[in-house]
PDB file of all heavy atoms in Angstrom:
ATOM      1  N   ILE A   1     151.448   5.112-138.491  1.00 97.00           N
ATOM      2  CA  ILE A   1     151.509   4.464-139.785  1.00 97.00           C
ATOM      3  C   ILE A   1     150.844   3.097-139.731  1.00 97.00           C
ATOM      4  O   ILE A   1     150.138   2.679-140.696  1.00 97.00           O
ATOM      5  CB  ILE A   1     152.983   4.319-140.241  1.00 97.00           C
ATOM      6  CG1 ILE A   1     153.549   5.699-140.585  1.00 97.00           C
ATOM      7  CG2 ILE A   1     153.104   3.395-141.441  1.00 97.00           C
ATOM      8  CD1 ILE A   1     155.046   5.661-140.970  1.00 97.00           C
ATOM      9  N   VAL A   2     151.008   2.416-138.565  1.00 97.00           N
ATOM     10  CA  VAL A   2     150.356   1.102-138.420  1.00 97.00           C
ATOM     11  C   VAL A   2     149.020   1.231-137.687  1.00 97.00           C
ATOM     12  O   VAL A   2     148.024   0.696-138.144  1.00 97.00           O
ATOM     13  CB  VAL A   2     151.303   0.157-137.631  1.00 97.00           C
ATOM     14  CG1 VAL A   2     150.597  -1.191-137.388  1.00 97.00           C
ATOM     15  CG2 VAL A   2     152.573  -0.100-138.399  1.00 97.00           C
ATOM     16  N   THR A   3     149.005   1.966-136.583  1.00 96.00           N
ATOM     17  CA  THR A   3     147.753   2.070-135.816  1.00 96.00           C
ATOM     18  C   THR A   3     146.654   2.792-136.620  1.00 96.00           C
ATOM     19  O   THR A   3     145.486   2.492-136.417  1.00 96.00           O
ATOM     20  CB  THR A   3     147.965   2.864-134.492  1.00 96.00           C
ATOM     21  OG1 THR A   3     148.450   4.179-134.787  1.00 96.00           O
ATOM     22  CG2 THR A   3     149.007   2.122-133.644  1.00 96.00           C
ATOM     23  N   GLY A   4     147.032   3.657-137.523  1.00 96.00           N
ATOM     24  CA  GLY A   4     146.059   4.331-138.381  1.00 96.00           C
ATOM     25  C   GLY A   4     145.665   3.552-139.590  1.00 96.00           C
ATOM     26  O   GLY A   4     144.856   4.013-140.416  1.00 96.00           O
ATOM     27  N   GLY A   5     146.239   2.357-139.749  1.00 94.00           N
ATOM     28  CA  GLY A   5     145.840   1.534-140.875  1.00 94.00           C
ATOM     29  C   GLY A   5     146.477   1.847-142.196  1.00 94.00           C
ATOM     30  O   GLY A   5     146.040   1.360-143.272  1.00 94.00           O
ATOM     31  N   TRP A   6     147.522   2.637-142.202  1.00 94.00           N
ATOM     32  CA  TRP A   6     148.208   2.984-143.479  1.00 94.00           C
ATOM     33  C   TRP A   6     149.043   1.804-143.978  1.00 94.00           C
ATOM     34  O   TRP A   6     149.154   1.588-145.194  1.00 94.00           O
ATOM     35  CB  TRP A   6     149.119   4.180-143.276  1.00 94.00           C
ATOM     36  CG  TRP A   6     148.456   5.456-142.862  1.00 94.00           C
ATOM     37  CD1 TRP A   6     147.110   5.639-142.619  1.00 94.00           C
ATOM     38  CD2 TRP A   6     149.079   6.718-142.633  1.00 94.00           C
ATOM     39  NE1 TRP A   6     146.849   6.927-142.231  1.00 94.00           N
ATOM     40  CE2 TRP A   6     148.062   7.609-142.247  1.00 94.00           C
ATOM     41  CE3 TRP A   6     150.418   7.141-142.725  1.00 94.00           C
ATOM     42  CZ2 TRP A   6     148.355   8.961-141.916  1.00 94.00           C
ATOM     43  CZ3 TRP A   6     150.657   8.449-142.440  1.00 94.00           C
ATOM     44  CH2 TRP A   6     149.644   9.365-142.042  1.00 94.00           C
ATOM     45  N   LEU A   7     149.616   1.042-143.049  1.00 96.00           N
ATOM     46  CA  LEU A   7     150.494  -0.038-143.437  1.00 96.00           C
ATOM     47  C   LEU A   7     149.974  -1.314-142.688  1.00 96.00           C
ATOM     48  O   LEU A   7     149.848  -1.318-141.467  1.00 96.00           O
ATOM     49  CB  LEU A   7     151.942   0.254-143.026  1.00 96.00           C
ATOM     50  CG  LEU A   7     152.995  -0.753-143.395  1.00 96.00           C
ATOM     51  CD1 LEU A   7     153.193  -0.784-144.890  1.00 96.00           C
ATOM     52  CD2 LEU A   7     154.324  -0.436-142.669  1.00 96.00           C
ATOM     53  N   PRO A   8     149.744  -2.421-143.414  1.00 95.00           N
ATOM     54  CA  PRO A   8     149.272  -3.622-142.771  1.00 95.00           C
ATOM     55  C   PRO A   8     150.272  -4.166-141.758  1.00 95.00           C
ATOM     56  O   PRO A   8     151.499  -4.093-141.988  1.00 95.00           O
ATOM     57  CB  PRO A   8     149.070  -4.591-143.932  1.00 95.00           C
ATOM     58  CG  PRO A   8     148.983  -3.768-145.155  1.00 95.00           C
ATOM     59  CD  PRO A   8     149.801  -2.544-144.864  1.00 95.00           C
ATOM     60  N   GLU A   9     149.796  -4.726-140.670  1.00 95.00           N
ATOM     61  CA  GLU A   9     150.641  -5.199-139.589  1.00 95.00           C
ATOM     62  C   GLU A   9     151.600  -6.296-140.058  1.00 95.00           C
ATOM     63  O   GLU A   9     152.754  -6.377-139.630  1.00 95.00           O
ATOM     64  CB  GLU A   9     149.799  -5.675-138.397  1.00 95.00           C
ATOM     65  CG  GLU A   9     149.116  -4.534-137.665  1.00 95.00           C
ATOM     66  CD  GLU A   9     148.454  -5.019-136.385  1.00 95.00           C
ATOM     67  OE1 GLU A   9     148.680  -6.183-135.974  1.00 95.00           O
ATOM     68  OE2 GLU A   9     147.697  -4.252-135.770  1.00 95.00           O
ATOM     69  N   HIS A  10     151.127  -7.171-140.961  1.00 95.00           N
ATOM     70  CA  HIS A  10     151.994  -8.266-141.410  1.00 95.00           C
ATOM     71  C   HIS A  10     153.206  -7.759-142.179  1.00 95.00           C
ATOM     72  O   HIS A  10     154.259  -8.392-142.148  1.00 95.00           O
ATOM     73  CB  HIS A  10     151.164  -9.288-142.256  1.00 95.00           C
ATOM     74  CG  HIS A  10     150.880  -8.796-143.638  1.00 95.00           C
ATOM     75  ND1 HIS A  10     149.730  -8.057-143.949  1.00 95.00           N
ATOM     76  CD2 HIS A  10     151.543  -8.937-144.825  1.00 95.00           C
ATOM     77  CE1 HIS A  10     149.702  -7.799-145.207  1.00 95.00           C
ATOM     78  NE2 HIS A  10     150.777  -8.323-145.781  1.00 95.00           N
ATOM     79  N   ARG A  11     153.054  -6.597-142.798  1.00 96.00           N
ATOM     80  CA  ARG A  11     154.226  -6.024-143.488  1.00 96.00           C
ATOM     81  C   ARG A  11     155.046  -5.248-142.488  1.00 96.00           C
ATOM     82  O   ARG A  11     156.284  -5.265-142.523  1.00 96.00           O
ATOM     83  CB  ARG A  11     153.771  -5.115-144.662  1.00 96.00           C
ATOM     84  CG  ARG A  11     154.903  -4.344-145.338  1.00 96.00           C
ATOM     85  CD  ARG A  11     155.789  -5.219-146.168  1.00 96.00           C
ATOM     86  NE  ARG A  11     156.935  -4.502-146.770  1.00 96.00           N
ATOM     87  CZ  ARG A  11     156.841  -3.806-147.918  1.00 96.00           C
ATOM     88  NH1 ARG A  11     155.732  -3.780-148.605  1.00 96.00           N
ATOM     89  NH2 ARG A  11     157.926  -3.246-148.388  1.00 96.00           N
ATOM     90  N   ALA A  12     154.436  -4.531-141.602  1.00 97.00           N
ATOM     91  CA  ALA A  12     155.131  -3.672-140.650  1.00 97.00           C
ATOM     92  C   ALA A  12     156.105  -4.479-139.794  1.00 97.00           C
ATOM     93  O   ALA A  12     157.170  -3.976-139.410  1.00 97.00           O
ATOM     94  CB  ALA A  12     154.145  -2.919-139.739  1.00 97.00           C
ATOM     95  N   GLY A  13     155.745  -5.714-139.503  1.00 96.00           N
ATOM     96  CA  GLY A  13     156.630  -6.558-138.642  1.00 96.00           C
ATOM     97  C   GLY A  13     157.979  -6.859-139.268  1.00 96.00           C
ATOM     98  O   GLY A  13     158.918  -7.192-138.580  1.00 96.00           O
ATOM     99  N   ARG A  14     158.089  -6.667-140.590  1.00 96.00           N
ATOM    100  CA  ARG A  14     159.311  -6.908-141.303  1.00 96.00           C
ATOM    101  C   ARG A  14     160.111  -5.641-141.614  1.00 96.00           C
ATOM    102  O   ARG A  14     161.212  -5.700-142.152  1.00 96.00           O
ATOM    103  CB  ARG A  14     159.051  -7.672-142.590  1.00 96.00           C
ATOM    104  CG  ARG A  14     158.309  -8.977-142.451  1.00 96.00           C
ATOM    105  CD  ARG A  14     158.153  -9.660-143.808  1.00 96.00           C
ATOM    106  NE  ARG A  14     157.501 -10.962-143.677  1.00 96.00           N
ATOM    107  CZ  ARG A  14     156.202 -11.131-143.891  1.00 96.00           C
ATOM    108  NH1 ARG A  14     155.427 -10.100-144.176  1.00 96.00           N
ATOM    109  NH2 ARG A  14     155.653 -12.332-143.753  1.00 96.00           N
ATOM    110  N   CYS A  15     159.518  -4.480-141.311  1.00 97.00           N
ATOM    111  CA  CYS A  15     160.081  -3.257-141.856  1.00 97.00           C
ATOM    112  C   CYS A  15     161.343  -2.812-141.189  1.00 97.00           C
ATOM    113  O   CYS A  15     162.188  -2.130-141.818  1.00 97.00           O
ATOM    114  CB  CYS A  15     158.993  -2.116-141.737  1.00 97.00           C
ATOM    115  SG  CYS A  15     157.609  -2.406-142.887  1.00 97.00           S
ATOM    116  N   VAL A  16     161.557  -3.075-139.916  1.00 98.00           N
ATOM    117  CA  VAL A  16     162.831  -2.674-139.248  1.00 98.00           C
ATOM    118  C   VAL A  16     163.987  -3.359-139.965  1.00 98.00           C
ATOM    119  O   VAL A  16     164.965  -2.694-140.360  1.00 98.00           O
ATOM    120  CB  VAL A  16     162.781  -3.029-137.767  1.00 98.00           C
ATOM    121  CG1 VAL A  16     164.186  -2.828-137.149  1.00 98.00           C
ATOM    122  CG2 VAL A  16     161.762  -2.154-137.050  1.00 98.00           C
ATOM    123  N   ASN A  17     163.903  -4.684-140.168  1.00 97.00           N
ATOM    124  CA  ASN A  17     164.999  -5.404-140.816  1.00 97.00           C
ATOM    125  C   ASN A  17     165.095  -4.969-142.312  1.00 97.00           C
ATOM    126  O   ASN A  17     166.210  -4.873-142.857  1.00 97.00           O
ATOM    127  CB  ASN A  17     164.791  -6.880-140.723  1.00 97.00           C
ATOM    128  CG  ASN A  17     165.033  -7.416-139.325  1.00 97.00           C
ATOM    129  OD1 ASN A  17     165.798  -6.813-138.556  1.00 97.00           O
ATOM    130  ND2 ASN A  17     164.426  -8.552-139.011  1.00 97.00           N
ATOM    131  N   GLU A  18     163.969  -4.719-142.922  1.00 97.00           N
ATOM    132  CA  GLU A  18     163.947  -4.298-144.345  1.00 97.00           C
ATOM    133  C   GLU A  18     164.658  -2.984-144.506  1.00 97.00           C
ATOM    134  O   GLU A  18     165.523  -2.814-145.385  1.00 97.00           O
ATOM    135  CB  GLU A  18     162.515  -4.258-144.854  1.00 97.00           C
ATOM    136  CG  GLU A  18     162.457  -3.954-146.353  1.00 97.00           C
ATOM    137  CD  GLU A  18     161.023  -4.104-146.887  1.00 97.00           C
ATOM    138  OE1 GLU A  18     160.199  -4.853-146.313  1.00 97.00           O
ATOM    139  OE2 GLU A  18     160.732  -3.403-147.927  1.00 97.00           O
ATOM    140  N   TYR A  19     164.322  -2.011-143.643  1.00 97.00           N
ATOM    141  CA  TYR A  19     165.003  -0.700-143.752  1.00 97.00           C
ATOM    142  C   TYR A  19     166.487  -0.836-143.475  1.00 97.00           C
ATOM    143  O   TYR A  19     167.304  -0.245-144.197  1.00 97.00           O
ATOM    144  CB  TYR A  19     164.398   0.311-142.775  1.00 97.00           C
ATOM    145  CG  TYR A  19     165.139   1.650-142.801  1.00 97.00           C
ATOM    146  CD1 TYR A  19     164.904   2.551-143.793  1.00 97.00           C
ATOM    147  CD2 TYR A  19     166.135   1.911-141.807  1.00 97.00           C
ATOM    148  CE1 TYR A  19     165.630   3.758-143.853  1.00 97.00           C
ATOM    149  CE2 TYR A  19     166.839   3.093-141.849  1.00 97.00           C
ATOM    150  CZ  TYR A  19     166.578   4.012-142.853  1.00 97.00           C
ATOM    151  OH  TYR A  19     167.312   5.163-142.924  1.00 97.00           O
ATOM    152  N   ARG A  20     166.862  -1.547-142.479  1.00 97.00           N
ATOM    153  CA  ARG A  20     168.283  -1.686-142.130  1.00 97.00           C
ATOM    154  C   ARG A  20     169.043  -2.329-143.289  1.00 97.00           C
ATOM    155  O   ARG A  20     170.171  -1.960-143.591  1.00 97.00           O
ATOM    156  CB  ARG A  20     168.444  -2.530-140.863  1.00 97.00           C
ATOM    157  CG  ARG A  20     168.035  -1.781-139.588  1.00 97.00           C
ATOM    158  CD  ARG A  20     168.094  -2.697-138.392  1.00 97.00           C
ATOM    159  NE  ARG A  20     167.708  -2.037-137.163  1.00 97.00           N
ATOM    160  CZ  ARG A  20     167.510  -2.572-135.983  1.00 97.00           C
ATOM    161  NH1 ARG A  20     167.662  -3.904-135.877  1.00 97.00           N
ATOM    162  NH2 ARG A  20     167.127  -1.878-134.959  1.00 97.00           N
ATOM    163  N   ARG A  21     168.396  -3.336-143.925  1.00 96.00           N
ATOM    164  CA  ARG A  21     169.069  -4.014-145.016  1.00 96.00           C
ATOM    165  C   ARG A  21     169.271  -3.113-146.216  1.00 96.00           C
ATOM    166  O   ARG A  21     170.369  -3.024-146.784  1.00 96.00           O
ATOM    167  CB  ARG A  21     168.212  -5.237-145.418  1.00 96.00           C
ATOM    168  CG  ARG A  21     168.879  -6.102-146.486  1.00 96.00           C
ATOM    169  CD  ARG A  21     168.180  -7.417-146.618  1.00 96.00           C
ATOM    170  NE  ARG A  21     166.741  -7.289-146.913  1.00 96.00           N
ATOM    171  CZ  ARG A  21     165.768  -7.560-146.037  1.00 96.00           C
ATOM    172  NH1 ARG A  21     166.083  -7.980-144.831  1.00 96.00           N
ATOM    173  NH2 ARG A  21     164.510  -7.431-146.371  1.00 96.00           N
ATOM    174  N   VAL A  22     168.215  -2.342-146.589  1.00 96.00           N
ATOM    175  CA  VAL A  22     168.378  -1.506-147.784  1.00 96.00           C
ATOM    176  C   VAL A  22     169.316  -0.317-147.498  1.00 96.00           C
ATOM    177  O   VAL A  22     170.104   0.099-148.381  1.00 96.00           O
ATOM    178  CB  VAL A  22     167.011  -1.022-148.328  1.00 96.00           C
ATOM    179  CG1 VAL A  22     166.174  -2.196-148.730  1.00 96.00           C
ATOM    180  CG2 VAL A  22     166.250  -0.174-147.307  1.00 96.00           C
ATOM    181  N   ALA A  23     169.222   0.264-146.271  1.00 96.00           N
ATOM    182  CA  ALA A  23     170.093   1.368-145.913  1.00 96.00           C
ATOM    183  C   ALA A  23     171.537   0.922-145.894  1.00 96.00           C
ATOM    184  O   ALA A  23     172.415   1.611-146.393  1.00 96.00           O
ATOM    185  CB  ALA A  23     169.697   1.985-144.578  1.00 96.00           C
ATOM    186  N   ASP A  24     171.801  -0.249-145.321  1.00 97.00           N
ATOM    187  CA  ASP A  24     173.181  -0.746-145.269  1.00 97.00           C
ATOM    188  C   ASP A  24     173.697  -1.107-146.661  1.00 97.00           C
ATOM    189  O   ASP A  24     174.877  -0.868-146.949  1.00 97.00           O
ATOM    190  CB  ASP A  24     173.237  -1.997-144.371  1.00 97.00           C
ATOM    191  CG  ASP A  24     174.631  -2.572-144.218  1.00 97.00           C
ATOM    192  OD1 ASP A  24     175.506  -1.838-143.704  1.00 97.00           O
ATOM    193  OD2 ASP A  24     174.850  -3.725-144.658  1.00 97.00           O
ATOM    194  N   SER A  25     172.825  -1.632-147.486  1.00 96.00           N
ATOM    195  CA  SER A  25     173.253  -1.946-148.835  1.00 96.00           C
ATOM    196  C   SER A  25     173.676  -0.740-149.643  1.00 96.00           C
ATOM    197  O   SER A  25     174.747  -0.717-150.282  1.00 96.00           O
ATOM    198  CB  SER A  25     172.088  -2.696-149.591  1.00 96.00           C
ATOM    199  OG  SER A  25     171.817  -3.915-148.996  1.00 96.00           O
ATOM    200  N   TRP A  26     172.886   0.344-149.527  1.00 96.00           N
ATOM    201  CA  TRP A  26     173.260   1.568-150.249  1.00 96.00           C
ATOM    202  C   TRP A  26     174.486   2.229-149.613  1.00 96.00           C
ATOM    203  O   TRP A  26     175.324   2.785-150.332  1.00 96.00           O
ATOM    204  CB  TRP A  26     172.097   2.544-150.292  1.00 96.00           C
ATOM    205  CG  TRP A  26     171.228   2.272-151.495  1.00 96.00           C
ATOM    206  CD1 TRP A  26     169.984   1.689-151.504  1.00 96.00           C
ATOM    207  CD2 TRP A  26     171.546   2.609-152.818  1.00 96.00           C
ATOM    208  NE1 TRP A  26     169.518   1.678-152.787  1.00 96.00           N
ATOM    209  CE2 TRP A  26     170.456   2.164-153.627  1.00 96.00           C
ATOM    210  CE3 TRP A  26     172.617   3.220-153.455  1.00 96.00           C
ATOM    211  CZ2 TRP A  26     170.431   2.353-155.010  1.00 96.00           C
ATOM    212  CZ3 TRP A  26     172.598   3.363-154.821  1.00 96.00           C
ATOM    213  CH2 TRP A  26     171.537   2.970-155.570  1.00 96.00           C
TER     214      TRP A  26
END
């Protein structure tokens, strides 16, 4: 997803915390 250029690295670096936050919220 990152190495293939689908998702910019500057966004990818935040995605682990972002997923955990939204999953925990729901």
Side-chain angles (χ1 to χ4, degrees):
I1 290 177
V2 176
T3 60
W6 299 2
L7 184 69
E9 290 188 10
H10 74 272
R11 175 70 183 276
R14 302 184 179 95
C15 290
V16 170
N17 288 336
E18 186 172 334
Y19 175 80
R20 289 175 180 172
R21 184 167 56 251
V22 298
D24 181 63
S25 295
W26 272 106

